Amino acid sequence: MAKKYPRQALVKTLKLEAIRLHTEEGWSYRKITEHLGIQDKDRVKVWMRNYRQKGQAAFEDRRGNPFRFGTEQERERRRLQSEVDVLKKWLQILNQEGCDAGTASSTS
């Protein structure tokens, strides 16, 4: 059975192979697209342009919110801060009730 790879890994590998064939082997864009089975004839040109501008960083996966996943410590810190905020609010409510009860009993 063939080993399965995530789609993004395959796409990145394909892009890097196309770049290698063009830069190191001197293949034409047309020959690369035929060899790798790429249907869009201009796709390799776009990959080369991105590679020239940004290097290998052009092929990194940038989908999603980069701030969504924090470290384990950061998640724990946010959880504890939420807990502290809830306890502060609860203390504030209890203090208000205590003041209201104290005022009501002293006026009678």
Side-chain angles (χ1 to χ4, degrees):
M1 179 173 229
K3 187 174 182 181
K4 292 199 173 202
Y5 294 96
R7 182 180 184 283
Q8 185 63 28
L10 288 175
V11 171
K12 184 177 179 182
T13 305
L14 182 72
K15 290 177 183 180
L16 292 175
E17 178 62 13
I19 298 300
R20 187 192 69 76
L21 289 172
H22 184 70
T23 57
E24 294 177 12
E25 305 289 328
W27 287 25
S28 69
Y29 294 132
R30 171 177 271 165
K31 188 174 178 182
I32 294 170
T33 55
E34 290 171 0
H35 176 73
L36 297 177
I38 301 169
Q39 294 179 357
D40 184 2
K41 61 184 171 102
D42 294 325
R43 181 60 41 204
V44 178
K45 290 179 188 178
V46 172
W47 292 345
M48 274 304 299
R49 187 178 330 118
N50 289 339
Y51 179 75
R52 285 185 188 118
Q53 292 172 352
K54 302 174 189 171
Q56 289 217 4
F59 305 124
E60 297 300 321
D61 186 9
R62 296 179 309 275
R63 295 174 295 173
N65 183 352
F67 303 106
R68 181 174 168 210
F69 301 106
T71 63
E72 186 65 34
Q73 289 176 335
E74 181 61 25
R75 284 192 295 267
E76 180 67 9
R77 188 198 64 75
R78 283 193 306 258
R79 186 190 69 77
L80 291 172
Q81 185 61 49
S82 297
E83 195 173 307
V84 167
D85 293 342
V86 167
L87 291 171
K88 283 181 180 179
K89 189 70 172 176
W90 180 248
L91 185 60
Q92 187 179 30
I93 291 169
L94 288 176
N95 284 337
Q96 284 178 347
E97 287 177 359
C99 291
D100 292 342
T103 309
S105 63
S106 63
T107 57
S108 13

